[in-house]
Structures are given as C-alpha cells and as structure tokens.
Amino acid sequence: MSSNREIHLASRPQGWPTADNFRLVETEVPTPGPGQIVVRNRFISVDPYMRGRMNDVKSYVPPFALDAPLDGGAVGEVVAGGGAGIDVGDTVLHGLGWREYALLDAGSARRVDPDLAPVTAYLSVLGMTGLTAYAGLLDVAAMRPGETVFVSGAAGAVGSMVGQIAKLRGAGRVVGSAGSPAKVARLTELGFDVAFDYHDGPVRDALKAAAPDGIDVYFDNVGGEHLEAAIGAMNLHGRAAICGMIAQYNAAEPPAAPRNLALVIGKRLTLRGFLVGDHGGLREQFVTEVAGWLREGKLSYDETIVDGIENAPEAFLGLLRGENLGKMLVRL
C-alpha cells in the first residue's frame, strides 16, 4: 500500500461553497485492529445533503468536523483485516468516502456482489439513491395507480428513479422539471410523460400546462418555487414527499417561497419530510423489485463520473450547480 489521500473540510462555507473550503491531505494508510478492515475505495458518492453537514448546526446527522475527512457512501475492496464474515478481497459498501483508504469496523460494512451488478449501482440505483426514490414515492407519498406525479430535480439520481418507478407502478401521468434542454430530453427518453426546463419561465405556469388536471403526488428535491407551484397544483388530498430542498442549501437568507401554505388546509394536503434511514424495512422488497426491472431492461440509470480524489470537491460543487446527469460519483 502507498500513502493515503483524504479530502478534509478546511473551513465552513458562507453561502455557496468554494474550493477553498476543502483541503487535500496526505496521510499514512491505516492499520486494522481486531474486527476492523481497511478498504481501498474505488468509487465515492457525492450527494446534495452533504452541503448541510458543512454547517455547524444541529440536524438529523452530525456536521462534518473541521480539519478531518468528510464522509459519505463508498464502495471498494477489502485489502487488510477482516471480521463479521468479511475477508480480504471482498467488495463492500460503507460510509467512509472522501478518502482513498478507509479504516472501519467490519460490522459496519456490507458485502456486495460485483458480478450481480456494476459496483457503482450499489451507490445509486440499488443503494441509498434508489431506496430513497422507492420509499419516498410508494411509502411516504403512497402513490396509487392512475395518479399524476410531479418530480422536481427529475434528472438527478433520485428524481430520475422516482419518475421511472412511478410509471412502472402505474402512474397515470408523470411530470418532471430539470435545468437544461438536454436533461429535459433525457427525461422524455426515460418515460416521463412531460418534462420542462424551469429556466424557461415560472414553474407555476409550466406545471399548469404539463398537468392541466392537477397533481396528486409531488416528490420534492428542490423546495422554494417548485414547492409553491406544487401546492398550488395539488388536487384534494394530494401528498408531497419532501426529500430535499437544494434550491435553498446555499441561500444566505430565508427563502421567500412557498407563500401559499394556507392552501394545505383547504385542500387537506399532506406534506411529509422523510429520511431514507427510516425505511430500511423496505430494502429487501426494494432490491428484489428494482433488480428485476434492471434485468428486464425496464429501468435505466445515469451516472456522472469524475476521476481522482483530488477532484472530489469540484465534483461536489458541480453537483450543486446542476452539472450532473443522474448520480455524481468520483472514481479513485
């Protein structure tokens, strides 16, 4: 083994993060103790929720520490140690990304089969990303066949899965919003009935044209203007699964929208936030159903891959700017 390189949080951003908030640090490759493993990471996941962890505020997950490695989903090969049924040579999924070599307790890793699916799939369609889409749409929002579904951030890793799962589970109409003509075209290829570029005008107007009879389910990855438009378009007893609000992650001031929350009362709407970690009980069902769709060619997924641990910060910044199509990953 050679030296280990890690990305540390050098400072906490004010508003939009910059490259100066990160630092590339060279360390020694760790040595495992009893029941521990060392994993040579091959791919790390870059996700929007990581922006919130860069702030030193109380949240559902602890903030990243200054002058220490960031973390997140990763998949790699065990190169030393062992325990809990995991041995050298196994491919495992774990939560210590943003570094080339990770030291962790063997019991906190999950062995995956690289022959069953590409290893990157365990960070996306068969991992947290896919389960987020599956649980949010079917459990949290309780989508029923024939309903109209609206997805914001629909060309992202989660949103693109939501739209496809909705169609496979019998949605009557699926509408997606995205941030470029190319992404809108991709959503149409993935089976969305209608897609629009939110840069082309007010989201409210685009959504009304796309779903003239209203929407029953909204899967929210964006918040702000999109959430306000969805509330306005929702039919009686509509449901929204609130997964993320990327539109305000870097805002220095509180968001102006939604300004129509009073409609929640008369329309008897349900707006429910959720965390994928609360839905682990669905994992077996999720993997069985989604793996079947993949085998049958009924479901597709996109990846944007950036090479090199040193480029992980730029990959993260690109994700926040909407430069990714599907899942943003860094290959080490």
Side-chain angles (χ1 to χ4, degrees), residues 195-222:
F196 62 85
D197 185 340
Y198 63 83
H199 293 113
D200 289 344
V203 176
R204 177 191 66 246
D205 296 343
L207 182 56
K208 185 175 182 179
D213 296 325
I215 64 174
D216 304 295
V217 169
Y218 173 47
F219 195 103
D220 190 15
N221 291 304
V222 176

Side-chain angles (χ1 to χ4, degrees), residues 4 18 28 33 48 77 82 88 91 107 124 126 135 139 141 145 189 244-245 289 321 326:
N4 184 26
T18 69
E28 294 183 358
E77 180 184 346
V88 171
T91 300
S124 57
L126 291 177
D139 194 18
E189 293 173 356
M245 295 192 176
E289 188 164 16
R321 293 191 294 260

Side-chain angles (χ1 to χ4, degrees), residues 7 22 43-51 54 64 70-75 97-99 120 123-124 128-129 156-158 246 304-309 311-321 324-332:
I7 299 295
F22 304 89
F43 290 90
I44 67 171
S45 176
V46 179
D47 300 289
Y49 81 90
M50 294 174 176
R51 174 61 187 87
M54 297 177 73
F64 292 128
L70 291 86
D71 57 54
V75 65
W98 293 79
R99 68 204 79 186
T120 56
L123 291 172
S124 57
M128 181 182 72
T129 298
V158 172
I246 196 170
T304 299
I305 297 178
V306 174
D307 284 305
I309 186 67
N311 294 317
E314 183 54 36
F316 176 68
L317 299 178
L319 173 75
L320 296 180
R321 293 191 294 260
N324 60 300
L325 183 63
K327 183 70 175 180
M328 178 68 88
L329 299 166
V330 178
R331 178 166 42 207
L332 309 186

Side-chain angles (χ1 to χ4, degrees), residues 147-161:
E147 292 189 317
T148 296
V149 177
F150 173 44
V151 188
S152 60
V158 172
S160 59
M161 291 296 105

Side-chain angles (χ1 to χ4, degrees), residues 203-205 207 215 218 220 223-235 255-269 271:
V203 176
R204 177 191 66 246
D205 296 343
L207 182 56
I215 64 174
Y218 173 47
D220 190 15
E225 182 187 3
H226 278 79
L227 178 55
E228 182 174 290
I231 290 172
M234 273 193 177
N235 295 323
R259 298 162 294 184
N260 58 350
L261 279 175
L263 292 179
V264 171
I265 304 168
K267 292 187 175 185
R268 281 85 100 194
L269 305 181
L271 312 183

Side-chain angles (χ1 to χ4, degrees), residues 240-252:
I242 312 298
C243 177
M245 295 192 176
I246 196 170
Q248 62 195 62
Y249 286 169
N250 301 305

